[in-house]
Structures are given as structure tokens and as C-alpha cells.
Amino acid sequence: VPLVESGGGLVQPGGSLRLSCKFPDVTFSRYKMYWYRQVSGKERELVASITLPGPTTTYAEFVKGRFTISRDNRANTLYLQMNSLQTEDTAVYSCEATDRFTQKQFRGQGTQVTVSL
């Protein structure tokens, strides 16, 4: 699995988590990166994306103002800072990479985020 997420866990409502996604052994700057999330039995939904140049970021309405996507091209790592977490944010979060030149895609296994008292 070329993409490896980490940083998930259990947090109380209002709390914060920072997810990481490592994508080693590639030219990381070639890739547009995404965070998705999925609740069991529901459709996968796009949370945020980031691409170069810029970088340019996009966010789903339900996370705007609370989540921040970022990337470290030297460390081949994607991040998702999640603040003001709500119970509705409970899901498996996974990262995805798309090569901007070949459109080849890669996806990680995901990391569980649980927001609960």
C-alpha cells in the first residue's frame, strides 16, 4: 500500500486531531492529494483537496472553517488538521493521490476517527 494514513483515534466533541498521509518513493509534487471519509453503509465523500501550484485547496462545505489540508513536499506527506470536531465527523478517513500528468490514482487504507463523549 503506497499511501499510509495515521493520526486517527477517539476524541471528544470540540476536540482536535491531525491526520497524516505518507506517500514515499514518489515525486510528491506531481500529485493532487485528497482526503475522503466514509461512514459504514454510506457513500464516500470528499473532504478536501490540495494541488500545486499554489498550493490550491478546496473544502467540502461541512468542514469549511474547521479543517485545514496541507502538504509537505519534502517529506512526501499530506496532513488534515481537524478542529471543532463533531460527532457527525466520525468516519474512516483515507487519503488519495492522483498523478496530475498520467491521472494514475492511489488510495490508502484509511484511519478511523471517532468523535464521542
Side-chain angles (χ1 to χ4, degrees), residues 3 6 9 14 18 20-22 27 34 39 44 52 54-55 67 82-84 97 100-102 109-110 115:
L3 295 168
S6 62
R18 188 193 196 203
S20 299
C21 171
K22 188 81 172 173
T27 305
Y34 307 82
V39 176
R44 191 171 70 121
L52 299 174
F67 291 9
M82 305 187 295
N83 299 328
S84 302
R100 294 184 290 123
F101 303 97
T102 68
Q109 299 271 26
V115 185

Side-chain angles (χ1 to χ4, degrees), residues 54-74:
T56 303
T57 59
T58 64
Y59 295 93
E61 282 296 323
F62 53 79
V63 302
K64 276 184 179 178
R66 300 189 299 125
F67 291 9
T68 302
I69 189 171
S70 61
R71 62 192 294 161
D72 183 340
N73 291 326
R74 287 180 296 180

Side-chain angles (χ1 to χ4, degrees), residues 16-107:
S16 298
L17 282 175
R18 188 193 196 203
L19 305 183
S20 299
C21 171
K22 188 81 172 173
F23 192 14
D25 304 322
V26 298
T27 305
F28 192 63
S29 58
R30 287 177 62 98
Y31 292 86
K32 183 173 181 178
M33 302 297 297
Y34 307 82
W35 283 105
Y36 283 86
R37 70 186 190 184
Q38 186 168 25
V39 176
S40 180
K42 294 189 176 182
E43 292 282 319
R44 191 171 70 121
E45 52 187 4
L46 178 63
V47 175
S49 69
I50 185 168
T51 191
L52 299 174
T56 303
T57 59
T58 64
Y59 295 93
E61 282 296 323
F62 53 79
V63 302
K64 276 184 179 178
R66 300 189 299 125
F67 291 9
T68 302
I69 189 171
S70 61
R71 62 192 294 161
D72 183 340
N73 291 326
R74 287 180 296 180
N76 282 35
T77 304
L78 174 73
Y79 300 100
L80 185 68
Q81 177 66 43
M82 305 187 295
N83 299 328
S84 302
L85 282 161
Q86 305 165 357
T87 55
E88 308 87 80
D89 295 317
T90 295
V92 174
Y93 286 73
S94 60
C95 60
E96 187 170 302
T98 300
D99 188 312
R100 294 184 290 123
F101 303 97
T102 68
Q103 306 307 309
K104 189 170 183 180
Q105 293 181 321
F106 301 89
R107 188 184 299 178

